[in-house]
Amino acid sequence: MEYQEAANLILQAKNMYALTGAGISTESGIPDFRSDTGYYKEFDGATALSRDVLLGDPDRFYHEGFVMLKDLFAKKPNAGHKALKKLEDLGYLKGVITQNIDNLHTLAGSKKVFEVHGHTRTVHCMSCHKTYPFQDYVDLVTVEEEIPPRCPACQGVLRPDVVMFGDMMPQDFQDAYEAMETCDLLLVAGSSLAVAPVSYLPGMAKKLIIINKEATPYDYKADVVIHEGIGQALTKILSLVEEGASR
């Protein structure tokens, strides 16, 4: 019943967006953050992935935070990412707002992606701002054992193009906020909706679908709530949308 309700809302929407979190990527072999098997069980993410630690305690950053970033590299999109891409292709989904830095929406072929916490495709020099591929950065750390890794052009410190604790939010967040001002349906997939300021966005949507294994603070106001794996749920909903569109 919930799946059909979700499909009906999608078929009726004019400006639908998706908001995704770590839960959509677990099926690609990427741990989430806050569960019993998540990254934060191993270390304190608020410090290990902070700007202060990156600059002030690089040894800790490259033994904790960097390990997580490197693990994200080379993962593959799963059924959930592909279903959202298909909804975009069909004209129902205007864009994906993602808290994830794993590049999987882009790899799945989604065209409009707001990466509000950055990504792991590139790094940049904090001095001259030259950009390098993420793999070059990994090689400097793991092969050359250079900590912190330095810019080949000016010897400034390199850093990942991800939003760390203590950083300002990027332009993608402002763009996502503006998109939400016209959003009549938000599909949340795999987010606990516990991390500000992204957690404020669902409150802007006129209608709300939430797919997440655990309860979220917005379940009470959502039009549809599905507690199931993201790939399975989105695949079912996509099938019903395609059926409804063909009638």
Side-chain angles (χ1 to χ4, degrees):
M1 185 65 176
E2 292 88 355
Y3 297 102
Q4 188 62 63
E5 291 177 8
N8 291 342
L9 288 171
I10 292 170
L11 288 164
Q12 295 161 10
K14 302 298 182 185
N15 285 292
M16 170 190 167
Y17 288 85
L19 170 61
T20 67
I24 195 173
S25 295
T26 56
E27 293 167 36
S28 292
I30 299 174
D32 62 10
F33 292 90
R34 291 172 174 79
S35 74
D36 291 341
T37 57
Y39 280 117
Y40 289 0
K41 183 181 180 183
E42 301 298 325
F43 58 81
D44 178 6
T47 52
L49 283 171
S50 73
R51 181 184 176 90
D52 287 346
V53 169
L54 172 70
L55 300 179
D57 190 0
D59 282 338
R60 178 175 182 182
F61 177 81
Y62 285 99
H63 284 92
E64 294 183 1
F66 170 78
V67 173
M68 188 201 78
L69 301 181
K70 182 169 65 71
D71 284 349
L72 300 177
F73 205 58
K75 300 295 185 182
K76 303 297 183 185
N78 61 54
H81 301 100
K82 294 172 183 177
L84 291 179
K85 190 263 185 185
K86 182 65 174 178
L87 286 171
E88 183 185 48
D89 289 346
L90 293 171
Y92 294 105
L93 185 64
K94 301 299 183 185
V96 177
I97 303 165
T98 187
Q99 297 170 275
N100 299 333
I101 57 175
D102 53 30
N103 315 311
L104 294 184
H105 289 295
T106 301
L107 289 171
S110 290
K111 298 178 180 64
K112 188 66 173 178
V113 183
F114 303 93
E115 294 172 313
V116 298
H117 289 162
H119 58 79
T120 51
R121 292 187 296 279
T122 57
V123 301
H124 72 273
C125 173
M126 297 181 69
S127 297
C128 72
H129 307 292
K130 184 175 175 62
T131 297
Y132 298 92
F134 190 81
Q135 185 60 57
D136 290 359
Y137 171 70
V138 171
D139 290 344
L140 283 173
V141 177
T142 60
V143 179
E144 302 297 331
E145 298 183 345
E146 188 173 320
I147 295 177
R150 298 282 179 174
C151 172
C154 76
Q155 293 302 300
V157 174
L158 296 178
R159 63 153 290 171
D161 288 326
V162 301
V163 178
M164 298 186 189
F165 291 93
D167 281 337
M168 298 286 288
M169 293 297 282
Q171 183 62 43
D172 268 23
F173 178 75
Q174 182 61 39
D175 294 342
Y177 186 91
E178 292 175 4
M180 285 300 301
E181 292 178 340
T182 61
C183 175
D184 57 0
L185 175 63
L186 182 66
L187 169 62
V188 176
S191 175
S192 64
L193 302 178
V195 178
V198 177
S199 59
Y200 302 140
L201 299 181
M204 301 174 66
K206 293 180 176 66
K207 291 187 179 295
L208 186 60
I209 299 169
I210 296 177
I211 307 170
N212 198 54
K213 285 188 175 180
E214 307 297 330
T216 81
Y218 282 91
D219 285 7
Y220 78 96
K221 77 179 296 288
D223 297 270
V224 176
V225 176
I226 299 172
H227 294 305
E228 190 175 311
I230 309 303
Q232 182 177 349
L234 285 176
T235 299
K236 289 180 182 177
I237 291 169
L238 171 62
S239 178
L240 291 168
V241 168
E242 290 176 319
E243 287 179 18
S246 66
R247 290 174 188 161

